[in-house]
């Protein structure tokens, strides 16, 4: 039997591990126009998320007054004046398509701008870092605390930070469950311990995940869990504006500006400010990288340094590959609008707008009533005492309005068929507001009419809303006695 050589075994044992332990990232505080933009976007998005379940919208006495509500119990989705029924799920599908096209559009124009400014992972991570900085101090203080031994002070600071993170996570999970039921009622039930166990379970799970992703995993979520970094390359081209480093201006870099040969150095003084503020812990001077979320904080940090040393801003800036070629040859970069408005982005915009207009047309042209007809097959038909043949159907009448409406049913057929309603003397049914009403209907063919002995006779059942004049119809077939 051949045995492996000793040298092979030792080289296998000395091989580097397939997984490297996470190196914690401690981004430094920075100020500037992009940091201010991120603060505003964070405040806006978190405000919308936390406040929206508490907004009210009067829909009438029979409907919930929560402005945005996913009513799973009644299989309904409310968004201010819009109400989406289960059979109208194509509206949700259309919104998802618009979201995808919008992501393609922004990525093709500005790279991972969604990831850097509005992605929930980025927003909550920024909030958690803000809390961490408030409790433990700026970057240098947090690095020292990380390396320090576990003493009373370290435990106090860490427990304070984790407690505040848990409160944020709890508020996040609480806001989420409020979207699925009446918020004030659920809050009262949660406080008094009367809420459904699913509510407590969901809040607990979301609290843990928010703290885990925003507090501990952070950049790991963007690098390893999110698929978008690996897809974005298909959306970008040489005209996409991304955060980049002007190496032709910054190199060779060097810290010492008063020594001999300093005049041959570039503008970069190798201060590491761009690296220290990066929430992903990368060096933008190494070129475009999968980990970069285009948050532009390195631009703010570099501009601040350039101001201090008297150099022009823009050593790190938004730029395209075509700009690099132009600047290296001494030409001015193209205007921003020429990068943004190009065939690819225009195509995405047209597709996005087309889907949006189609959804709006479908929303405002949809009928306020609906109807479905289901034949009762057991038995297929019944022969009555006078020799006529009767078929039975279950008709579901849908009233999308906020008030009770009267529906008149009628029958259209080439054969002499007659219509009757179970439990009703006439052909008018009162359907409650915002409800699907089940009505049993009989279609009768008199003896000797021909339809009583026909195999399958087609007919149309029509429902007319007597309040609005709207009509809905459904085609079905009548089964007679076949000789």
């Amino acid at each position: 039997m051949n045995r492996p050589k000793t040298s092979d075994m030792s080289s296998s044992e000395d091989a580097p591990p397939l997984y490297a332990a996470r190196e914690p990232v401690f981004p430094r505080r920075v100020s500037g126009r992009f940091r201010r933009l991120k603060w505003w976007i964070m405040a806006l998005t978190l405000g919308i998320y936390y406040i929206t379940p508490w907004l009210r919208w009067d829909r009438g006495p029979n409907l919930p007054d929560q402005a945005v509500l996913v009513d799973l119990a009644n299989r309904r989705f409310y968004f201010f004046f819009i109400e989406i029924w289960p059979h109208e799920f194509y509206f949700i599908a259309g919104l998802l398509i618009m979201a995808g096209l919008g992501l393609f559009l922004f990525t093709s124009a500005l790279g991972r701008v969604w990831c850097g400014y509005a992605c929930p992972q980025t927003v909550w991570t920024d909030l958690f870092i803000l809390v961490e900085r408030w409790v433990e101090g700026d970057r240098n203080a947090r690095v020292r605390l990380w390396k320090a031994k576990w003493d009373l002070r370290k435990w106090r600071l860490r427990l304070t930070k984790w407690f505040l993170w848990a409160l944020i996570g709890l508020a996040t999970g609480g806001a989420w469950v409020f979207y699925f039921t009446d918020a004030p009622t659920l809050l009262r039930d949660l406080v008094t311990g009367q809420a459904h166990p699913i509510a407590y379970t969901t809040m607990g799970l979301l609290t843990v995940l928010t703290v885990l992703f925003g507090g501990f995993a952070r950049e790991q979520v963007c690098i390893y869990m999110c698929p978008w970094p690996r897809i974005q390359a298909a959306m970008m081209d040489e005209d996409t504006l991304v955060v980049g480093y002007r190496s032709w201006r910054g190199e060779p870099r060097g810290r010492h500006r008063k020594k001999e040969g300093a005049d041959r150095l570039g503008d970069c003084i190798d201060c590491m400010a761009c690296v220290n503020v990066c929430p992903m812990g990368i060096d933008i001077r190494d070129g475009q990288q999968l980990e970069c979320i285009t948050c532009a904080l390195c631009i703010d940090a570099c501009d601040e340094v350039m101001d201090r040393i008297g150099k022009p801003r823009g050593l790190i800036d938004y730029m395209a590959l075509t700009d690099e070629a132009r600047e290296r040859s001494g030409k001015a970069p193209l205007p921003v609008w020429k990068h943004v408005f190009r065939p690819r982005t225009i195509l995405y915009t047209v597709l996005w707008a087309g889907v949006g207009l189609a959804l709006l047309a479908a929303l405002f042209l949809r009928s306020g009533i609906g109807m479905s007809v289901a034949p009762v097959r057991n038995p297929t038909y019944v022969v009555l005492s006078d020799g006529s043949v009767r078929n039975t159907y279950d008709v579901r009448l849908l009233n999308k309005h906020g008030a009770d409406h009267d529906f008149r049913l009628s029958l259209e057929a080439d054969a002499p068929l007659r219509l009757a309603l179970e439990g009703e003397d006439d052909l008018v049914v009162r359907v409650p507001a915002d409800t699907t009403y089940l009505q049993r209907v009989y279609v009768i063919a008199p003896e000797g009419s021909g339809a009583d002995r026909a195999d399958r006779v087609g007919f149309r059942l029509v429902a007319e809303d007597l309040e609005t004049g709207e009509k809905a119809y459904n085609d079905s077939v009548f089964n007679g006695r076949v000789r």
Side-chain angles (χ1 to χ4, degrees):
M1 181 176 64
N2 296 327
R3 300 181 63 86
K5 296 181 181 180
T6 306
S7 58
D8 293 340
M9 294 178 63
S10 60
S11 63
S12 176
E13 293 174 355
D14 296 338
L18 297 178
Y19 175 78
R22 175 179 180 262
E23 291 289 337
V25 178
F26 302 99
R28 181 176 67 82
R29 184 178 181 272
V30 66
S31 60
R33 63 187 190 277
F34 292 109
R35 178 65 268 182
R36 287 192 296 271
L37 177 61
K38 282 172 67 66
W39 287 136
W40 280 107
I41 292 176
M42 184 181 78
L44 176 64
T45 52
L46 289 177
I48 291 174
Y49 177 74
Y50 288 122
I51 295 174
T52 297
W54 302 95
L55 300 178
R56 303 290 102 182
W57 188 269
D58 185 15
R59 300 184 179 90
N62 300 310
L63 296 176
D65 64 349
Q66 187 161 313
V68 180
L69 176 64
V70 182
D71 189 357
L72 295 179
N74 297 305
R75 295 179 297 174
R76 221 72 53 84
F77 171 63
Y78 299 96
F79 185 81
F80 293 93
F81 67 93
I82 300 173
E83 179 181 357
I84 304 298
W85 291 69
H87 66 281
E88 296 174 328
F89 188 79
Y90 54 85
F91 284 110
I92 307 300
L95 290 176
L96 293 176
I97 293 173
M98 289 186 66
L101 290 173
L103 188 59
F104 296 165
L105 170 62
F106 283 109
T107 302
S108 63
L110 299 169
R112 291 179 66 184
V113 65
W114 160 261
C115 302
Y117 294 91
C119 174
Q121 173 65 16
T122 297
V123 171
W124 264 278
T125 297
D126 271 357
L127 181 59
F128 277 41
I129 292 177
L130 178 64
V131 170
E132 184 177 75
R133 185 180 296 122
W134 177 66
V135 174
E136 299 179 351
D138 204 3
R139 182 178 187 275
N140 292 338
R142 300 204 306 276
V143 171
R144 288 194 299 268
L145 184 66
W146 175 265
K147 296 178 179 179
K149 295 182 179 180
W150 284 91
D151 55 11
L152 182 61
R153 177 179 178 273
K154 185 169 183 177
W155 274 110
R156 176 175 57 83
L157 293 177
R158 286 297 170 86
L159 290 176
T160 302
K161 178 181 70 174
W162 293 339
F163 174 73
L164 295 176
W165 283 359
L167 291 181
I168 295 173
L170 184 62
T172 302
W176 180 254
V177 297
F178 289 151
Y179 280 90
F180 294 86
T181 188
D182 184 66
T185 303
L186 178 58
L187 178 61
R188 183 183 66 248
D189 292 343
L190 288 171
V191 173
T192 58
Q194 299 176 356
H196 196 281
I198 292 179
Y200 293 108
T201 303
T202 303
M203 288 182 61
L205 180 62
L206 291 177
T207 298
V208 172
L209 291 178
T210 303
V211 173
L212 176 63
F213 291 162
F216 294 100
R218 293 184 181 175
E219 75 284 350
Q220 303 292 93
V221 175
C222 302
I223 297 174
Y224 298 111
M225 296 177 62
C226 180
W228 188 241
R230 291 150 184 85
I231 302 174
Q232 63 172 340
M235 305 295 112
M236 299 165 60
D237 55 30
E238 65 275 5
D239 279 307
T240 301
L241 290 170
V242 295
V243 176
Y245 166 65
R246 287 185 165 92
S247 58
W248 56 95
R249 173 185 151 187
E251 301 295 327
R253 68 187 76 158
R255 294 176 179 270
H256 305 290
R257 296 285 157 166
K258 296 183 179 180
K259 290 189 176 182
E260 183 180 354
D263 57 331
R264 295 192 297 271
L265 297 177
D267 288 351
C268 179
I269 63 174
D270 202 21
C271 62
M272 302 296 288
C274 56
V275 179
N276 293 337
V277 301
C278 179
M280 306 300 291
I282 64 172
D283 190 341
I284 193 63
R285 297 172 298 179
D286 293 337
Q288 185 61 217
Q289 299 157 67
L290 176 145
E291 295 87 353
C292 180
I293 60 173
T294 321
C295 66
L297 295 182
C298 53
I299 298 178
D300 287 337
C302 188
D303 285 348
E304 187 178 291
V305 173
M306 293 297 105
D307 291 342
R308 288 203 303 266
I309 65 175
K311 297 289 185 178
R313 290 187 165 200
L315 180 60
I316 300 176
D317 204 353
Y318 274 102
M319 65 184 74
L321 288 176
T322 53
D323 288 337
E324 177 180 350
R326 292 178 62 87
E327 290 190 26
R328 284 183 180 275
S329 62
K331 299 179 181 179
L334 291 174
V336 172
W337 68 268
K338 286 191 175 181
H339 291 298
V340 174
F341 297 101
R342 59 186 197 277
R344 178 188 289 241
T345 58
I346 293 174
L347 174 61
Y348 287 144
T349 303
V350 171
L351 293 174
W352 183 87
V355 175
L357 291 174
L359 290 178
L360 284 176
L363 179 65
F364 289 105
L365 294 178
R366 65 178 180 171
S367 175
I369 67 173
M371 179 179 66
S372 64
V373 178
V376 177
R377 298 298 188 185
N378 188 21
T380 304
Y381 63 88
V382 173
V383 179
L384 303 180
S385 58
D386 60 357
S388 59
V389 177
R390 185 183 73 185
N391 283 196
T392 305
Y393 302 85
D394 283 335
V395 177
R396 295 186 181 275
L397 300 171
L398 174 61
N399 178 15
K400 298 181 183 179
H401 300 285
D404 298 351
H405 281 202
D406 289 331
F407 284 47
R408 176 187 288 124
L409 298 181
S410 59
L411 189 66
E412 297 178 358
D414 295 333
L417 300 175
R418 181 166 57 87
L419 183 65
L421 307 185
E422 183 179 73
E424 301 289 342
D425 296 332
D426 55 14
L427 300 179
V428 177
V429 180
R430 189 160 188 83
V431 181
D434 202 62
T435 303
T436 299
Y437 183 79
L438 179 62
Q439 174 66 50
R440 178 149 289 191
V441 171
Y442 302 118
V443 177
I444 304 169
E447 184 181 17
S449 62
D452 61 327
R453 294 186 177 275
D455 184 10
R456 297 169 67 86
V457 177
F459 67 88
R460 171 169 291 180
L461 198 62
V462 181
E464 179 183 3
D465 188 339
L466 298 181
E467 304 289 335
T468 64
E470 294 177 289
K471 291 184 178 181
Y473 63 87
N474 201 291
D475 294 332
S476 190
V477 294
F478 179 87
N479 294 282
R481 292 189 293 172
V482 181
R483 288 189 178 89

